Amino acid sequence: MKRSLPLAMLLALSLAPAARAANEADYKAAYATAEAASKEAAGLRNQWTTTVATLAAARKAADGGDFDRATASAREAEALAKASIFQATTEKDAWKAMEIR
Amino acid sequence: MASSIRVRATSNGDITEVQALIQHPMDTGLVKDPKGEVIPAHYIQQLTFECNGKDVFVADWGTAVSKDPYVKFSFKGAKKGDDLKISWTDNKGASDTTTAKIA
Amino acid sequence: MKTRSALLLGSLSAALAAFALTSPRVIAADKVDPVADAKAFQNFFFQKFPEVKHEDFVNGPYSMNADMKRQWQEKEEFPPYEFALDAGKEMFATPFKNGKTYADCFPNGGVGIRQNYPYFDEKEGKVVTLELALNRCREANGEQPYSYVKDEMASLTAYMAFTSRGKPMEIRIPDDPRALAAFENGKRYFYTRRGQMNFSCASCHVQSPGERIRAEVLAPALGILNAMPIYRSEWSGMGTISRRFVTCNSQTRAVPLEPQSDEYRDVEYFLSYVANGLPISGPGARP
Amino acid sequence: MTTTSGPLATRRLILQGAASVALLGLGNLPFAPAHAAANDKYPEEAFKQKNEADAIKALYGRNAEPSNKVKLDAPEIAENGGVVPVSVTTTLDKVSSISFFVTENPFALAASYKIAEGTIPGVANRLKMAKTTKLVAIVEADGKLYSATKEVKVTVGGCGG
């Protein structure tokens, strides 16, 4: 997704000065939490296409050895998955507000 | 297999109105398929309508004619029951022809 | 990223608050009442678009925009779904390897019955749509099922829709709690926001029919399935109800479910029921 | 309409160029550029021109002047760039050819029709338009060219994905 890559870059820049360069372990941890959140979203049958795409971007960056970007993408994927979980849970009742009665 | 040409020719008075819809991909040669390869150009170049031995209408088409192309025109000098022969050829040399009775 | 999801949550709650105020009286009773729902649903559109004739709603965007209606009527003189219609008629007549045909699977030989689909199957306790019934007919006669989003299924449903053209939609909800639950589940799916765009079907087809999303004019939700299957210029090909649901999901950046999953069958049940009385106008041509 | 990048398009042009050269080589008929539109040969050259002016010159060999006798009917906003219903009617007589040019398309000439004696000068068809564009219809009547122009807005649909 063209749009989400620059976002990932933006995120990586903002993180870079504070943390040392992310290594493979950081990436693996970030990816694991992202994947768990993504599975939970899928379980709620409310997965977003951008979560799946950002997870894939993370794997691709990791395969290329760019663990900074890979970790950033994994963190973004986690945030997207969490947002989709929040959406699913709030909508359980929120939908009634839109209903035509 | 039914012909690729659907035609409706209806005459009232001396004027015959002709509508034709042709099943053809009309690929421009500028579009890529999902795998990223260019879909080669494949489009009807000439479409001829012949009635009573005369070409009443000839269409020369480029790549900007829509998929499953449609054309409508009218002509004089034919009456109910006459035969209208329609034929097309495309840039790959394929062709098809059909004959319709003017209703 | 934190800011982005926070932004999303903020806009979500703001939208909710705004909408709660504007939505008509909120009744507490949670009893499922399809008859009242259908009446309210139809009146919402009849009042919102008083100049649109009731049966015109089934023409989707063309009931909302005169210029597009003209383009549509020009196309209807020799519509692009002619080929799918002929292919469907031919397939309907071609016997399976075991000699049977689709006509043997359907009441009245499958002619003029589309307006009763989807129906609630009390044995199975689930909604059965026309596309599902067609594939079950194929499997019962030892044939491979068709893809729900490809041309063969569209040709079959195009022919069956054509044989019902003009007949009013007539969906029945039997007095069975599971049927009421399926209707309610379809209604819930219709109004639930999903995808990163945070849209529900209602965000586009109830809040803003007649308005544009880029080149396209949004169709009203009332009668939105009456013209199915549709030849879409966008796809330069035919599209079944399943294909439309799947592509709508991915447009809002929601991962689509499997075609003919329960949610899709139920939302089709809901949308068809609330359109009861409006004529079948399939197969249709759309942008 | 996703189009490929430059090199691919030019490669296609070269291929087509080679093909037409071969054709010319074969047919050593007297290549008389008589009434260009009237003969039956497919105006290969005109369809290869990128812009409208070159295409008109290749097809008719002269310029057209706007005339309100040519009535061009096209939508203000195209429902879909792939299928734009467009039609032309005219009150001019002795019409021998009608052509459509979509200026913003990769190749301007979209379609050209030869109108025989006794055929009503008018045609309706469905064209592809790559993006918002000027649409020019040209009618050749009694050896002179008359044109009508209209703008058609074209964009993609849907909310993103």
Coordinates of all heavy atoms in Angstrom, one line a residue, chain A residues 1 3 7 11 45-50 52 75-76 79-80 83 86-87 90-92 94-101, chain C residues 1 4 8-9 12 16 19 23 25 27 40 44 184 187-188 191-196 198 206-207 253-255 261 263:
Chain A
M1 N 0.9 -1.2 0.0 CA 0.0 0.0 0.0 C 0.9 1.2 0.0 O 1.6 1.5 1.0 CB -0.8 0.1 1.3 CG -2.2 -0.7 1.3 SD -3.2 0.0 0.0 CE -3.3 1.7 0.5
R3 N 0.4 4.2 0.4 CA 0.2 5.2 1.5 C 0.9 4.7 2.8 O 1.5 5.5 3.5 CB -1.3 5.4 1.7 CG -1.6 6.8 2.1 CD -3.1 7.0 2.0 NE -3.8 6.1 3.0 CZ -3.8 6.4 4.3 NH1 -3.2 7.5 4.8 NH2 -4.3 5.6 5.2
L7 N 4.3 6.2 5.8 CA 3.9 6.2 7.2 C 5.0 5.4 8.0 O 5.5 5.9 9.0 CB 2.5 5.6 7.4 CG 1.4 6.6 7.1 CD1 0.0 6.0 7.4 CD2 1.5 7.9 8.1
L11 N 7.5 6.8 10.9 CA 7.6 6.2 12.2 C 9.0 5.8 12.5 O 9.5 6.2 13.6 CB 6.7 4.9 12.2 CG 6.2 4.5 13.6 CD1 5.3 5.6 14.2 CD2 5.5 3.2 13.5
R45 N -13.6 -11.5 13.0 CA -14.1 -11.4 11.6 C -14.1 -9.9 11.2 O -15.0 -9.4 10.6 CB -15.4 -12.0 11.4 CG -15.4 -13.5 11.5 CD -16.7 -14.2 11.6 NE -17.4 -14.4 10.3 CZ -17.0 -15.4 9.4 NH1 -16.0 -16.1 9.7 NH2 -17.7 -15.6 8.3
N46 N -13.0 -9.1 11.7 CA -13.0 -7.7 11.4 C -11.6 -7.3 11.1 O -11.1 -6.3 11.5 CB -13.5 -6.9 12.6 CG -13.7 -5.4 12.1 OD1 -14.2 -5.2 11.0 ND2 -13.3 -4.5 12.9
Q47 N -10.9 -8.1 10.2 CA -9.5 -7.8 9.9 C -9.5 -6.7 8.8 O -10.4 -6.6 8.0 CB -8.9 -9.1 9.2 CG -7.5 -9.0 8.8 CD -6.5 -8.9 9.9 OE1 -6.4 -8.0 10.6 NE2 -5.7 -10.0 10.1
W48 N -8.4 -5.8 8.9 CA -8.3 -4.8 7.9 C -7.3 -5.2 6.9 O -6.3 -5.8 7.2 CB -7.8 -3.5 8.6 CG -8.8 -2.8 9.4 CD1 -10.1 -3.2 9.7 CD2 -8.6 -1.6 10.2 NE1 -10.7 -2.3 10.5 CE2 -9.8 -1.4 10.9 CE3 -7.5 -0.8 10.5 CZ2 -10.0 -0.3 11.7 CZ3 -7.7 0.3 11.3 CH2 -8.9 0.6 11.9
T49 N -7.5 -4.7 5.6 CA -6.5 -5.1 4.5 C -5.2 -4.5 4.8 O -4.1 -5.0 4.5 CB -7.0 -4.6 3.2 OG1 -7.4 -3.2 3.3 CG2 -8.3 -5.4 2.7
T50 N -5.2 -3.3 5.5 CA -3.9 -2.6 5.7 C -3.1 -3.3 6.8 O -1.8 -3.3 6.7 CB -4.2 -1.1 6.1 OG1 -5.4 -1.1 6.9 CG2 -4.4 -0.2 4.9
V52 N -2.9 -6.5 7.2 CA -2.3 -7.7 6.5 C -1.1 -7.1 5.6 O 0.0 -7.7 5.6 CB -3.4 -8.4 5.6 CG1 -2.7 -9.4 4.7 CG2 -4.5 -8.9 6.4
R75 N 5.3 -2.7 14.3 CA 4.6 -1.9 15.3 C 3.3 -1.3 14.7 O 2.3 -1.2 15.3 CB 5.5 -0.9 15.9 CG 6.6 -1.5 16.8 CD 7.0 -0.6 18.0 NE 8.0 -1.2 18.8 CZ 9.3 -1.1 18.6 NH1 9.8 -0.3 17.6 NH2 10.2 -1.8 19.3
E76 N 3.5 -0.8 13.4 CA 2.3 -0.1 12.8 C 1.2 -1.2 12.6 O 0.1 -0.9 12.9 CB 2.7 0.5 11.5 CG 1.6 1.3 10.9 CD 1.8 1.7 9.5 OE1 3.0 1.6 9.0 OE2 0.8 2.0 8.8
A79 N -0.6 -1.7 15.8 CA -1.6 -0.6 16.1 C -2.8 -0.7 15.2 O -3.9 -0.6 15.7 CB -0.9 0.7 15.8
L80 N -2.6 -1.1 13.9 CA -3.8 -1.2 13.0 C -4.7 -2.3 13.5 O -5.9 -2.2 13.6 CB -3.3 -1.5 11.6 CG -2.7 -0.3 10.8 CD1 -2.0 -0.8 9.6 CD2 -3.7 0.7 10.5
A83 N -6.6 -1.3 16.5 CA -7.7 -0.3 16.1 C -8.9 -1.1 15.6 O -10.0 -0.8 15.9 CB -7.2 0.7 15.1
F86 N -10.7 -2.7 18.4 CA -11.5 -1.7 19.1 C -12.8 -1.4 18.3 O -13.9 -1.4 18.9 CB -10.7 -0.4 19.3 CG -11.5 0.7 19.9 CD1 -11.7 0.7 21.3 CD2 -12.1 1.7 19.2 CE1 -12.4 1.7 21.9 CE2 -12.9 2.7 19.8 CZ -13.0 2.7 21.1
Q87 N -12.6 -1.3 17.0 CA -13.7 -1.0 16.1 C -14.8 -2.1 16.3 O -16.0 -1.9 16.5 CB -13.3 -0.9 14.7 CG -14.4 -0.6 13.7 CD -13.8 -0.7 12.3 OE1 -13.3 -1.7 11.8 NE2 -14.0 0.4 11.5
T90 N -16.5 -1.9 19.8 CA -17.4 -0.8 20.0 C -18.6 -0.9 19.1 O -19.8 -0.6 19.5 CB -16.7 0.5 19.7 OG1 -16.1 0.4 18.4 CG2 -15.8 1.0 20.8
E91 N -18.4 -1.5 17.9 CA -19.5 -1.5 17.0 C -20.6 -2.5 17.4 O -21.7 -2.5 17.0 CB -19.1 -1.9 15.6 CG -18.5 -0.8 14.8 CD -19.5 0.4 14.6 OE1 -20.6 0.1 14.0 OE2 -19.2 1.5 15.0
K92 N -20.2 -3.4 18.4 CA -21.2 -4.5 18.8 C -22.5 -3.8 19.2 O -23.6 -4.3 19.0 CB -20.6 -5.2 20.1 CG -19.7 -6.4 19.7 CD -19.9 -7.6 20.7 CE -19.2 -8.8 20.1 NZ -17.9 -8.5 19.3
A94 N -22.7 0.0 18.9 CA -22.7 1.3 18.3 C -23.6 1.3 17.1 O -24.2 2.3 16.7 CB -21.3 1.7 18.0
W95 N -23.7 0.2 16.4 CA -24.4 0.2 15.1 C -25.9 0.6 15.3 O -26.4 1.2 14.4 CB -24.3 -1.2 14.4 CG -25.1 -2.3 15.2 CD1 -24.6 -3.1 16.2 CD2 -26.5 -2.7 14.9 NE1 -25.6 -4.0 16.6 CE2 -26.8 -3.7 15.8 CE3 -27.5 -2.3 14.1 CZ2 -28.0 -4.4 15.9 CZ3 -28.7 -2.9 14.1 CH2 -29.0 -3.9 15.1
K96 N -26.4 0.3 16.5 CA -27.9 0.6 16.6 C -28.1 2.1 16.4 O -29.2 2.5 16.0 CB -28.3 0.2 18.0 CG -28.4 -1.3 18.2 CD -29.2 -1.7 19.4 CE -29.3 -3.2 19.6 NZ -28.0 -3.8 20.0
A97 N -27.1 2.9 16.7 CA -27.3 4.4 16.6 C -27.7 4.8 15.1 O -28.4 5.7 14.9 CB -26.1 5.1 17.0
M98 N -27.1 4.0 14.2 CA -27.3 4.4 12.8 C -28.6 3.8 12.2 O -29.0 4.1 11.1 CB -26.2 3.9 11.9 CG -24.8 4.6 12.2 SD -23.6 4.0 11.0 CE -24.0 5.0 9.6
E99 N -29.2 2.8 13.0 CA -30.3 2.1 12.4 C -31.5 3.0 12.1 O -31.9 3.9 12.9 CB -30.7 1.0 13.4 CG -31.8 0.1 12.9 CD -32.4 -0.8 14.0 OE1 -31.8 -0.8 15.1 OE2 -33.5 -1.4 13.7
I100 N -32.1 2.7 11.0 CA -33.4 3.4 10.6 C -34.5 2.8 11.4 O -34.6 1.5 11.4 CB -33.7 3.3 9.1 CG1 -32.6 3.9 8.3 CG2 -35.0 3.9 8.8 CD1 -32.7 3.6 6.8
R101 N -35.2 3.6 12.2 CA -36.3 2.9 13.0 C -37.7 3.5 12.6 O -37.8 4.6 12.1 CB -36.1 3.3 14.4 CG -35.0 2.5 15.1 CD -34.8 2.9 16.5 NE -33.4 2.7 16.9 CZ -32.9 1.5 17.1 NH1 -33.7 0.4 16.9 NH2 -31.7 1.3 17.4
Chain C
M1 N 2.2 6.3 14.9 CA 0.9 5.5 14.6 C -0.1 5.8 15.8 O -1.3 5.9 15.6 CB 1.3 4.0 14.6 CG 0.1 3.1 14.3 SD -0.8 3.6 12.9 CE -2.5 3.6 13.6
R4 N -2.4 8.2 14.9 CA -3.4 7.9 13.9 C -4.6 7.2 14.5 O -5.8 7.5 14.3 CB -2.8 7.1 12.7 CG -3.5 7.4 11.4 CD -2.4 7.3 10.3 NE -1.9 6.0 10.2 CZ -2.6 5.0 9.4 NH1 -3.7 5.3 8.8 NH2 -2.1 3.8 9.3
L8 N -8.5 8.1 14.9 CA -9.6 7.3 14.5 C -10.6 7.2 15.6 O -11.8 7.4 15.4 CB -9.1 5.9 14.1 CG -10.2 4.9 13.8 CD1 -10.7 5.0 12.4 CD2 -9.7 3.5 14.1
L9 N -10.2 6.9 16.8 CA -11.1 6.7 17.9 C -11.9 8.0 18.2 O -13.1 8.0 18.4 CB -10.4 6.2 19.2 CG -9.3 5.1 19.0 CD1 -8.8 4.6 20.3 CD2 -10.0 3.9 18.2
L12 N -14.4 8.4 15.6 CA -15.5 7.3 15.8 C -16.5 7.8 16.8 O -17.7 7.9 16.6 CB -14.8 6.1 16.3 CG -15.6 4.8 16.2 CD1 -15.8 4.4 14.8 CD2 -14.9 3.6 16.9
L16 N -20.3 9.0 16.4 CA -21.4 8.4 17.1 C -22.3 9.4 17.8 O -23.5 9.4 17.7 CB -20.8 7.5 18.2 CG -20.3 6.1 17.7 CD1 -19.9 5.2 18.8 CD2 -21.3 5.4 16.8
F19 N -24.4 11.3 15.4 CA -25.4 10.5 14.8 C -26.5 10.2 15.8 O -27.7 10.2 15.4 CB -24.8 9.2 14.2 CG -25.7 8.8 13.0 CD1 -25.4 9.3 11.7 CD2 -26.8 8.0 13.1 CE1 -26.2 9.0 10.6 CE2 -27.6 7.7 12.1 CZ -27.3 8.2 10.8
S23 N -30.4 10.6 14.8 CA -31.2 9.5 14.3 C -32.6 9.6 15.0 O -32.7 10.1 16.1 CB -30.5 8.1 14.8 OG -30.7 8.0 16.2
R25 N -36.3 8.7 16.7 CA -36.5 8.3 18.1 C -35.9 6.9 18.3 O -36.0 6.0 17.5 CB -38.0 8.3 18.5 CG -38.8 7.6 17.4 CD -40.2 7.3 17.8 NE -40.8 6.6 16.6 CZ -40.4 5.4 16.1 NH1 -39.4 4.8 16.7 NH2 -41.0 4.9 15.1
I27 N -36.0 3.4 20.0 CA -36.9 2.7 20.9 C -36.1 1.7 21.7 O -35.2 1.1 21.2 CB -38.0 1.9 20.0 CG1 -37.3 1.2 18.8 CG2 -39.1 2.9 19.6 CD1 -38.3 0.3 18.1
A40 N -40.3 1.2 8.2 CA -39.4 2.3 8.5 C -38.4 2.6 7.4 O -38.1 3.7 7.0 CB -38.8 2.1 9.9
F44 N -38.1 5.9 5.1 CA -37.0 6.7 5.2 C -36.6 7.2 3.8 O -36.4 8.4 3.6 CB -35.8 5.9 5.8 CG -34.5 6.7 5.8 CD1 -34.2 7.6 6.8 CD2 -33.6 6.5 4.8 CE1 -33.0 8.3 6.8 CE2 -32.4 7.2 4.7 CZ -32.1 8.1 5.8
E184 N -32.0 -10.3 11.9 CA -31.3 -9.3 12.8 C -29.8 -9.3 12.6 O -29.2 -8.2 12.5 CB -31.6 -9.7 14.3 CG -31.2 -8.7 15.3 CD -31.9 -7.4 15.3 OE1 -32.9 -7.3 14.6 OE2 -31.5 -6.4 15.9
K187 N -29.2 -7.3 9.5 CA -29.3 -5.9 9.8 C -28.1 -5.4 10.6 O -27.6 -4.3 10.2 CB -30.6 -5.7 10.7 CG -30.9 -4.2 11.0 CD -32.3 -4.0 11.5 CE -32.5 -4.6 12.9 NZ -33.8 -4.3 13.4
R188 N -27.6 -6.1 11.5 CA -26.5 -5.7 12.3 C -25.3 -5.5 11.4 O -24.6 -4.5 11.4 CB -26.1 -6.8 13.4 CG -25.0 -6.4 14.3 CD -24.6 -7.5 15.2 NE -24.2 -8.7 14.4 CZ -23.2 -8.8 13.7 NH1 -22.3 -7.8 13.6 NH2 -22.9 -9.9 13.0
Y191 N -25.4 -2.3 9.3 CA -25.1 -1.0 10.0 C -23.8 -1.0 10.7 O -23.4 0.1 11.3 CB -26.2 -0.7 11.0 CG -27.6 -0.3 10.4 CD1 -28.6 -1.2 10.4 CD2 -27.7 0.9 9.8 CE1 -29.9 -0.9 9.9 CE2 -28.9 1.3 9.2 CZ -30.0 0.4 9.2 OH -31.2 0.7 8.6
T192 N -23.0 -2.1 10.7 CA -21.8 -2.1 11.4 C -20.6 -1.5 10.6 O -20.4 -1.9 9.5 CB -21.4 -3.6 11.8 OG1 -22.4 -4.1 12.6 CG2 -20.1 -3.7 12.5
R193 N -19.9 -0.6 11.2 CA -18.7 0.0 10.5 C -17.6 -1.0 10.5 O -17.4 -1.7 11.5 CB -18.3 1.3 11.3 CG -19.3 2.4 11.2 CD -18.8 3.6 12.0 NE -19.7 4.8 11.8 CZ -19.6 5.6 10.8 NH1 -18.7 5.4 9.9 NH2 -20.4 6.6 10.6
R194 N -16.9 -1.0 9.4 CA -15.7 -1.9 9.3 C -14.6 -1.3 8.4 O -14.8 -0.2 7.8 CB -16.2 -3.3 8.7 CG -16.8 -3.2 7.4 CD -17.3 -4.6 6.9 NE -18.1 -5.2 7.9 CZ -19.4 -5.0 8.0 NH1 -20.0 -4.1 7.2 NH2 -20.1 -5.5 9.0
G195 N -13.5 -1.9 8.4 CA -12.4 -1.5 7.6 C -11.7 -0.2 8.1 O -12.3 0.5 8.9
Q196 N -10.5 0.1 7.6 CA -9.8 1.2 8.1 C -10.6 2.5 7.7 O -10.5 3.5 8.4 CB -8.4 1.3 7.5 CG -7.5 2.3 8.2 CD -6.1 2.3 7.6 OE1 -5.8 1.6 6.7 NE2 -5.3 3.1 8.2
N198 N -13.5 2.8 8.1 CA -14.6 2.9 9.2 C -15.9 3.3 8.6 O -16.7 4.1 9.1 CB -14.2 4.0 10.2 CG -14.9 3.9 11.5 OD1 -15.4 2.8 11.8 ND2 -15.2 5.0 12.2
V206 N -27.2 4.7 3.0 CA -28.3 5.3 3.7 C -28.0 6.8 4.0 O -28.8 7.6 3.7 CB -28.5 4.6 5.1 CG1 -29.5 5.4 6.0 CG2 -29.0 3.2 4.9
Q207 N -26.7 7.1 4.4 CA -26.4 8.5 4.7 C -26.3 9.3 3.4 O -26.6 10.5 3.4 CB -25.1 8.6 5.5 CG -25.4 8.2 7.0 CD -24.1 8.3 7.8 OE1 -23.0 8.2 7.2 NE2 -24.2 8.6 9.0
R253 N -11.3 -1.2 3.0 CA -10.1 -1.7 3.6 C -10.4 -2.7 4.7 O -9.7 -2.8 5.7 CB -9.2 -0.7 4.1 CG -8.6 0.2 3.0 CD -7.6 1.2 3.5 NE -7.2 2.0 2.3 CZ -6.5 3.1 2.5 NH1 -6.1 3.5 3.7 NH2 -6.1 3.9 1.5
A254 N -11.5 -3.5 4.5 CA -11.9 -4.6 5.4 C -11.6 -5.9 4.6 O -11.9 -5.9 3.4 CB -13.3 -4.5 5.7
V255 N -10.9 -6.8 5.2 CA -10.7 -8.1 4.5 C -12.0 -8.8 4.3 O -12.7 -9.0 5.3 CB -9.7 -9.0 5.4 CG1 -9.6 -10.3 4.8 CG2 -8.3 -8.3 5.5
S261 N -20.6 -16.6 3.2 CA -20.5 -16.9 4.6 C -21.9 -16.4 5.2 O -22.6 -15.6 4.6 CB -19.4 -16.1 5.3 OG -18.6 -15.5 4.4
E263 N -22.7 -14.2 7.4 CA -23.0 -12.7 7.4 C -23.5 -12.2 6.1 O -24.5 -11.4 6.0 CB -21.7 -11.9 7.8 CG -21.2 -12.0 9.2 CD -20.2 -13.2 9.4 OE1 -20.3 -14.2 8.6 OE2 -19.4 -13.1 10.3

